[in-house]
Amino acid sequence: MSRFIPKKAEKEVISIRIDTELLKEVDKTAAKSDISRNELIVQCVEFALSNLDSDSKKNLLLDLDKMNGARK
């Protein structure tokens, strides 16, 4: 019989600023879907990233690299 070993997924707590009306829509959609606000936002980000075309992905990664370089 296999042994159950609990594992904690790696996650980070972040803070974002979001338009009040957009947040209301997020909350309504999350409630209708019976999931948390956080889970809906994570799923939306995952969906958006997985559906970017390759040129957009390259540009986004270059922009992120520039931002990270400016912070060092």
Side-chain angles (χ1 to χ4, degrees):
M1 184 163 130
S2 297
R3 230 175 127 203
F4 174 74
I5 302 171
K7 297 178 184 171
K8 186 173 182 176
E10 285 190 44
K11 295 186 178 186
E12 288 193 42
V13 175
I14 63 166
S15 176
I16 62 169
R17 288 180 178 79
I18 188 168
D19 178 79
T20 303
E21 292 304 313
L22 180 57
L23 183 57
K24 287 178 186 176
E25 286 298 312
V26 167
D27 287 342
K28 283 183 202 174
T29 304
K32 286 180 188 174
S33 303
D34 195 30
I35 60 175
S36 69
R37 172 197 288 169
N38 182 74
E39 185 59 31
L40 178 64
I41 292 170
V42 168
Q43 289 182 29
C44 288
V45 170
E46 288 172 341
F47 179 83
L49 291 175
S50 67
N51 287 284
L52 282 176
D53 62 45
S54 59
D55 287 338
S56 295
K57 278 185 184 177
K58 281 185 211 170
N59 291 336
L60 178 61
L61 291 173
L62 288 172
D63 289 345
L64 289 173
D65 283 344
K66 287 177 189 173
M67 286 173 41
N68 287 332
R71 291 181 186 170
K72 291 180 181 179

